[in-house]
Amino acid sequence: MLDFIHVPKNGGCSFKSLIRNHKEVSCKIKYHHHAYNGSGSSESTEIIVLRDPIDRFASALRYSKQKWAGAPQNKKLFESGVENINDLVKVLDDPFSELHQIGLNYIYNLDKKHRVGRTPTTLKWTYSPQYLWFKNPAYILILDHLNKDVNELFRELEIPSEINFPNKNTTSKSEQEIEDSTISFLKRHYAKDFILYEKYKKLSFKERCFV
């Protein structure tokens, strides 16, 4: 049995739907929520999806704006004019901004409800770095071409090819230019994620299989 690890904003809801709605999949892959911290086994059993850290950060903000704009910790930030990741990064990166503390309250896991295993994450799940869930993967999938990777995975596991990968929990994208200062900020704060993503996105599916 393989373990699918749901890294937030990395296609996990689609995978969850796939596993729960198809016995051919669920008999070979078990779904695990964000709080899962691995089996502790030395054997590689985990499936994980990696995503471009900039795209993931933008998706996390879109998700908050589209699904949770009315939440108390979000409302004031969004009503103040934070529309995109350039706006959010300016608030987070400037300690003298009048919105700085509001931005920190928005992104940080202040109530300690978000955990990986028993350990609270510093940031909320959607903004926590992907490497926290990267333990001992058997298969590494890349979100950029997830459908292709899933088809390859199914062939590897002898799962019927007529099962279609669903697109769940997607948010509508807006065209925006990412500023250099935003990219620099994200590369500093998500350095390990950039290393992982850049390393594995260049590899073929077979080169990302460790079983």
Side-chain angles (χ1 to χ4, degrees):
M1 178 71 76
L2 292 169
D3 299 292
F4 175 78
I5 312 302
H6 186 167
V7 179
K9 305 312 301 171
N10 285 21
C13 289
S14 297
F15 237 106
K16 178 170 67 173
S17 175
L18 191 70
I19 293 168
R20 292 184 174 176
N21 292 321
H22 296 279
K23 290 182 179 179
E24 304 95 322
V25 183
S26 62
C27 70
K28 296 187 177 183
I29 304 173
K30 184 177 181 180
Y31 169 84
H32 295 280
H33 186 258
H34 318 320
Y36 183 70
N37 194 31
S39 64
S41 170
S42 59
E43 183 181 356
S44 296
T45 62
E46 298 176 358
I47 302 169
I48 190 170
V49 180
L50 293 178
R51 184 175 189 174
D52 176 346
I54 296 174
D55 188 41
R56 181 171 179 262
F57 192 87
S59 178
L61 178 59
R62 288 194 303 270
Y63 177 75
S64 290
K65 288 178 65 66
Q66 294 174 24
K67 305 289 185 180
W68 300 101
Q73 69 270 30
N74 301 349
K75 189 174 182 180
K76 190 170 183 180
L77 183 71
F78 297 148
E79 287 182 346
S80 70
V82 171
E83 295 289 336
N84 53 53
I85 63 171
N86 294 323
D87 298 334
L88 179 57
V89 164
K90 285 174 184 174
V91 166
L92 295 174
D93 204 28
D94 180 7
F96 299 105
S97 167
E98 60 183 23
L99 295 174
H100 182 67
Q101 190 59 51
I102 296 172
L104 295 180
N105 291 346
Y106 161 72
I107 200 171
Y108 273 79
N109 178 27
L110 297 179
D111 59 12
K112 307 300 182 185
K113 290 182 178 179
H114 293 190
R115 296 169 178 261
V116 175
R118 296 182 177 182
T119 306
T121 55
T122 301
L123 306 178
K124 293 175 181 174
W125 276 323
T126 50
Y127 289 105
S128 291
Q130 300 168 73
Y131 78 81
L132 293 180
W133 290 274
F134 194 92
K135 306 294 184 182
N136 188 27
Y139 296 93
I140 301 171
L141 312 183
I142 304 297
L143 190 70
D144 305 43
H145 38 77
L146 189 55
N147 286 340
K148 181 175 179 291
D149 278 1
V150 169
N151 287 333
E152 295 267 16
L153 178 66
F154 281 7
R155 277 195 289 272
E156 188 88 6
L157 301 179
E158 298 181 346
I159 293 172
S161 59
E162 63 268 15
I163 296 176
N164 294 317
F165 188 71
N167 289 316
K168 297 283 186 181
N169 204 20
T170 57
T171 53
S172 58
K173 295 184 179 181
S174 60
E175 294 296 327
Q176 74 173 101
E177 182 178 346
I178 310 298
E179 296 175 3
D180 289 343
S181 57
T182 297
I183 295 172
S184 177
F185 175 90
L186 294 175
K187 284 187 172 181
R188 291 197 313 272
H189 289 271
Y190 294 92
K192 291 183 180 179
D193 281 4
F194 277 96
I195 291 171
L196 284 175
Y197 175 72
E198 293 296 332
K199 175 181 178 179
Y200 289 106
K201 77 170 186 177
K202 300 173 183 176
L203 303 181
S204 68
F205 177 80
K206 287 290 186 182
E207 291 173 315
R208 290 182 271 112
C209 300
F210 303 95
V211 290

